[in-house]
Amino acid sequence: MKFGSLSLSKCAFTFLLFGFCFSLGNAQGFGQWLSIGGEGKINKKVLFEAEQGFRFSDGFSITQSTYTDIGINYKFSKEFRMAANYRFTQRGGMFNVLHLDNRFSGEMRYKIKAGDLSIGSRLRYMTRYRDYNSSADGHIPQRYVRFKVDFDYDLPNGFSLTAGSEIFWQLTAYYGSGFNNFWLITGLNYDFSKTDKISVTFIRQSREFASDDVAFGNVISIGYVHNFDFSGAD
């Protein structure tokens, strides 16, 4: 039996995976991040990206933030890409907003593939404005750099494993500057089809000093991405 392009076994696996992650995410000290996104191919070089995300704590009972992210990705070669993104974040959730963030970022991505192993890196520069034009702090942008390295290993039947790390360096902010955060990342990805993918990721954070972001030592992140093709190519 199939539901669209998805078989019954794939649907059952998805529900079991979500159930497992929901149970694990309810454990003491875990944050829960959910996201749904889309990637649209404009032509051979240009890709449009969009994502809606939700970040929770205390077993999904408290909404820490929601965000909407849009961006453009330009492919210079099979290995090298550049991207520009904008993210609008409501801290405290959609209905209990504590303050708003406007974040602008530019990044470079480089990935090489050897057999079943892919090695990627990302350098991102970001500027974030809190409550822009509505508070004294809002006029002081937070600027920081993030650098990420990850490894992906392809498995049979559409699965792949991910492992990596990311470092955050705060350049300017109203509460200070310097080393801000370090992530250790492990995850499992599953391609349902050529257009649908789900990722389950465990993130271990190590924060040097507090900032506006609510920090969790452990995070379970579940993300779904659908790929569109607007290029008109066969």
Side-chain angles (χ1 to χ4, degrees), residues 46-107:
V46 181
L47 188 73
F48 175 79
E49 303 171 323
E51 180 178 288
Q52 180 64 46
F54 306 88
R55 295 183 175 180
F56 303 93
S57 63
D58 293 346
F60 295 92
S61 62
I62 298 177
T63 305
Q64 298 290 349
S65 65
T66 63
Y67 66 84
T68 302
D69 194 295
I70 58 174
I72 291 291
N73 183 318
Y74 187 84
K75 182 171 70 173
F76 288 89
S77 66
K78 182 183 294 186
E79 298 81 14
F80 181 65
R81 300 186 179 206
M82 295 187 70
N85 287 69
Y86 166 73
R87 176 176 292 190
F88 176 74
T89 303
Q90 298 180 101
R91 304 284 174 179
M94 299 180 67
F95 306 108
N96 185 30
V97 179
L98 300 177
H99 59 85
L100 305 175
D101 284 345
N102 292 277
R103 195 185 80 177
F104 304 88
S105 64
E107 63 187 45

Side-chain angles (χ1 to χ4, degrees), residues 7 21 31 46 52 67 71-72 89 99 101 113 120 125 127 132 147 165 176 179 205 208 225 228-229:
S7 67
C21 292
V46 181
Q52 180 64 46
Y67 66 84
I72 291 291
T89 303
H99 59 85
D101 284 345
K113 187 174 178 65
Y125 174 80
T127 300
Y132 187 61
F147 181 69
S165 62
F179 171 74
Q205 300 190 72
E208 184 73 10
V225 175
F228 301 89
D229 191 344

Side-chain angles (χ1 to χ4, degrees), residues 117-211:
L117 178 66
S118 298
I119 304 174
S121 62
R122 183 185 71 191
L123 180 63
R124 175 184 288 175
Y125 174 80
M126 310 172 72
T127 300
R128 189 175 72 183
Y129 296 87
R130 172 183 171 182
D131 294 330
Y132 187 61
N133 283 334
S134 62
S135 72
D137 290 339
H139 293 276
I140 304 174
Q142 301 173 44
R143 297 189 176 96
Y144 46 106
V145 172
R146 296 167 58 169
F147 181 69
K148 180 181 180 182
V149 176
D150 56 50
F151 302 86
D152 292 316
Y153 187 79
D154 293 334
L155 300 173
N157 302 316
F159 290 93
S160 63
L161 295 174
T162 297
S165 62
E166 186 166 10
I167 189 170
F168 297 60
W169 188 268
Q170 194 89 46
L171 300 177
T172 59
Y174 53 85
Y175 53 78
S177 60
F179 171 74
N180 179 248
N181 204 348
F182 179 74
W183 289 5
L184 287 174
I185 304 164
T186 57
L188 175 67
N189 312 301
Y190 182 49
D191 292 330
F192 292 97
S193 64
K194 293 181 179 180
T195 59
D196 299 279
K197 179 179 181 179
I198 185 172
S199 299
V200 178
T201 306
F202 171 77
I203 303 172
R204 174 64 184 176
Q205 300 190 72
S206 176
R207 186 174 293 278
E208 184 73 10
F209 56 85
S211 71

